[in-house]
PDB file of all heavy atoms in Angstrom:
ATOM      1  N   ILE A 220      -0.975 201.817 -68.344  1.00  0.00           N
ATOM      2  CA  ILE A 220       0.502 201.784 -68.298  1.00  0.00           C
ATOM      3  C   ILE A 220       1.001 200.502 -68.147  1.00  0.00           C
ATOM      4  O   ILE A 220       0.592 199.714 -67.126  1.00  0.00           O
ATOM      5  CB  ILE A 220       1.073 202.738 -67.409  1.00  0.00           C
ATOM      6  CG1 ILE A 220       0.650 204.246 -67.725  1.00  0.00           C
ATOM      7  CG2 ILE A 220       2.577 202.644 -67.332  1.00  0.00           C
ATOM      8  CD1 ILE A 220       1.067 205.230 -66.772  1.00  0.00           C
ATOM      9  N   ASP A 221       1.921 199.797 -68.968  1.00  0.00           N
ATOM     10  CA  ASP A 221       2.447 198.504 -68.860  1.00  0.00           C
ATOM     11  C   ASP A 221       1.262 197.409 -68.624  1.00  0.00           C
ATOM     12  O   ASP A 221       1.354 196.499 -67.986  1.00  0.00           O
ATOM     13  CB  ASP A 221       3.260 198.360 -67.471  1.00  0.00           C
ATOM     14  CG  ASP A 221       4.462 199.269 -67.606  1.00  0.00           C
ATOM     15  OD1 ASP A 221       4.968 199.470 -68.695  1.00  0.00           O
ATOM     16  OD2 ASP A 221       4.969 199.654 -66.552  1.00  0.00           O
ATOM     17  N   GLY A 222       0.293 197.586 -69.463  1.00  0.00           N
ATOM     18  CA  GLY A 222      -0.882 196.671 -69.586  1.00  0.00           C
ATOM     19  C   GLY A 222      -1.769 196.812 -68.297  1.00  0.00           C
ATOM     20  O   GLY A 222      -2.651 195.890 -68.305  1.00  0.00           O
ATOM     21  N   LYS A 223      -1.645 197.643 -67.485  1.00  0.00           N
ATOM     22  CA  LYS A 223      -2.504 197.765 -66.280  1.00  0.00           C
ATOM     23  C   LYS A 223      -3.160 199.157 -66.227  1.00  0.00           C
ATOM     24  O   LYS A 223      -2.651 200.126 -66.632  1.00  0.00           O
ATOM     25  CB  LYS A 223      -1.673 197.668 -65.053  1.00  0.00           C
ATOM     26  CG  LYS A 223      -1.030 196.202 -64.879  1.00  0.00           C
ATOM     27  CD  LYS A 223      -0.276 195.986 -63.596  1.00  0.00           C
ATOM     28  CE  LYS A 223       0.356 194.695 -63.373  1.00  0.00           C
ATOM     29  NZ  LYS A 223       1.057 194.522 -62.120  1.00  0.00           N
ATOM     30  N   ILE A 224      -4.396 199.210 -65.660  1.00  0.00           N
ATOM     31  CA  ILE A 224      -5.154 200.503 -65.425  1.00  0.00           C
ATOM     32  C   ILE A 224      -4.674 201.077 -64.206  1.00  0.00           C
ATOM     33  O   ILE A 224      -4.622 200.431 -63.131  1.00  0.00           O
ATOM     34  CB  ILE A 224      -6.677 200.160 -65.546  1.00  0.00           C
ATOM     35  CG1 ILE A 224      -6.968 199.593 -66.815  1.00  0.00           C
ATOM     36  CG2 ILE A 224      -7.366 201.546 -65.387  1.00  0.00           C
ATOM     37  CD1 ILE A 224      -6.790 200.417 -68.050  1.00  0.00           C
ATOM     38  N   CYS A 225      -4.456 202.355 -64.262  1.00  0.00           N
ATOM     39  CA  CYS A 225      -3.999 203.112 -63.112  1.00  0.00           C
ATOM     40  C   CYS A 225      -4.532 204.615 -63.129  1.00  0.00           C
ATOM     41  O   CYS A 225      -5.035 205.012 -64.153  1.00  0.00           O
ATOM     42  CB  CYS A 225      -2.505 203.200 -62.986  1.00  0.00           C
ATOM     43  SG  CYS A 225      -1.706 203.957 -64.502  1.00  0.00           S
ATOM     44  N   VAL A 226      -4.424 205.183 -61.927  1.00  0.00           N
ATOM     45  CA  VAL A 226      -4.830 206.627 -61.922  1.00  0.00           C
ATOM     46  C   VAL A 226      -3.568 207.517 -61.802  1.00  0.00           C
ATOM     47  O   VAL A 226      -2.685 207.141 -61.149  1.00  0.00           O
ATOM     48  CB  VAL A 226      -5.657 206.893 -60.627  1.00  0.00           C
ATOM     49  CG1 VAL A 226      -5.984 208.348 -60.443  1.00  0.00           C
ATOM     50  CG2 VAL A 226      -6.949 206.047 -60.671  1.00  0.00           C
ATOM     51  N   VAL A 227      -3.568 208.483 -62.631  1.00  0.00           N
ATOM     52  CA  VAL A 227      -2.325 209.326 -62.753  1.00  0.00           C
ATOM     53  C   VAL A 227      -2.784 210.846 -62.290  1.00  0.00           C
ATOM     54  O   VAL A 227      -3.775 211.391 -62.844  1.00  0.00           O
ATOM     55  CB  VAL A 227      -1.729 209.442 -64.207  1.00  0.00           C
ATOM     56  CG1 VAL A 227      -0.379 210.237 -64.189  1.00  0.00           C
ATOM     57  CG2 VAL A 227      -1.471 208.006 -64.585  1.00  0.00           C
ATOM     58  N   LEU A 228      -1.970 211.469 -61.355  1.00  0.00           N
ATOM     59  CA  LEU A 228      -2.239 212.798 -60.952  1.00  0.00           C
ATOM     60  C   LEU A 228      -1.200 213.679 -61.391  1.00  0.00           C
ATOM     61  O   LEU A 228       0.056 213.261 -61.241  1.00  0.00           O
ATOM     62  CB  LEU A 228      -2.446 212.854 -59.443  1.00  0.00           C
ATOM     63  CG  LEU A 228      -3.303 211.717 -58.813  1.00  0.00           C
ATOM     64  CD1 LEU A 228      -3.236 211.864 -57.168  1.00  0.00           C
ATOM     65  CD2 LEU A 228      -4.758 211.898 -59.193  1.00  0.00           C
ATOM     66  N   SER A 229      -1.483 214.863 -61.803  1.00  0.00           N
ATOM     67  CA  SER A 229      -0.432 215.774 -62.066  1.00  0.00           C
ATOM     68  C   SER A 229      -0.093 216.588 -60.834  1.00  0.00           C
ATOM     69  O   SER A 229      -0.869 216.812 -59.946  1.00  0.00           O
ATOM     70  CB  SER A 229      -0.881 216.962 -63.210  1.00  0.00           C
ATOM     71  OG  SER A 229      -1.783 217.675 -62.637  1.00  0.00           O
ATOM     72  N   GLU A 230       1.272 216.961 -60.771  1.00  0.00           N
ATOM     73  CA  GLU A 230       1.643 217.684 -59.470  1.00  0.00           C
ATOM     74  C   GLU A 230       1.601 219.221 -59.672  1.00  0.00           C
ATOM     75  O   GLU A 230       1.903 219.966 -58.737  1.00  0.00           O
ATOM     76  CB  GLU A 230       3.086 217.145 -59.060  1.00  0.00           C
ATOM     77  CG  GLU A 230       3.100 215.797 -58.625  1.00  0.00           C
ATOM     78  CD  GLU A 230       4.468 215.234 -58.222  1.00  0.00           C
ATOM     79  OE1 GLU A 230       5.461 216.014 -58.424  1.00  0.00           O
ATOM     80  OE2 GLU A 230       4.532 214.082 -57.720  1.00  0.00           O
ATOM     81  N   LYS A 231       1.272 219.695 -60.885  1.00  0.00           N
ATOM     82  CA  LYS A 231       1.143 221.066 -61.039  1.00  0.00           C
ATOM     83  C   LYS A 231       0.089 221.318 -62.186  1.00  0.00           C
ATOM     84  O   LYS A 231      -0.370 220.360 -62.797  1.00  0.00           O
ATOM     85  CB  LYS A 231       2.522 221.721 -61.525  1.00  0.00           C
ATOM     86  CG  LYS A 231       2.992 221.315 -62.801  1.00  0.00           C
ATOM     87  CD  LYS A 231       4.239 222.044 -63.187  1.00  0.00           C
ATOM     88  CE  LYS A 231       4.827 221.629 -64.637  1.00  0.00           C
ATOM     89  NZ  LYS A 231       6.072 222.341 -64.876  1.00  0.00           N
ATOM     90  N   ARG A 232      -0.322 222.534 -62.386  1.00  0.00           N
ATOM     91  CA  ARG A 232      -1.347 222.856 -63.432  1.00  0.00           C
ATOM     92  C   ARG A 232      -0.775 222.677 -64.766  1.00  0.00           C
ATOM     93  O   ARG A 232       0.263 223.137 -65.127  1.00  0.00           O
ATOM     94  CB  ARG A 232      -1.893 224.214 -63.203  1.00  0.00           C
ATOM     95  CG  ARG A 232      -2.433 224.501 -61.840  1.00  0.00           C
ATOM     96  CD  ARG A 232      -2.639 225.949 -61.493  1.00  0.00           C
ATOM     97  NE  ARG A 232      -3.511 226.648 -62.481  1.00  0.00           N
ATOM     98  CZ  ARG A 232      -4.741 226.647 -62.348  1.00  0.00           C
ATOM     99  NH1 ARG A 232      -5.374 226.233 -61.224  1.00  0.00           N
ATOM    100  NH2 ARG A 232      -5.546 227.308 -63.177  1.00  0.00           N
TER     101      ARG A 232
END
Side-chain angles (χ1 to χ4, degrees):
I220 297 178
D221 296 332
K223 297 181 178 180
I224 300 297
C225 58
V226 172
V227 183
L228 313 175
S229 72
E230 295 182 350
K231 67 178 183 180
R232 297 167 63 87

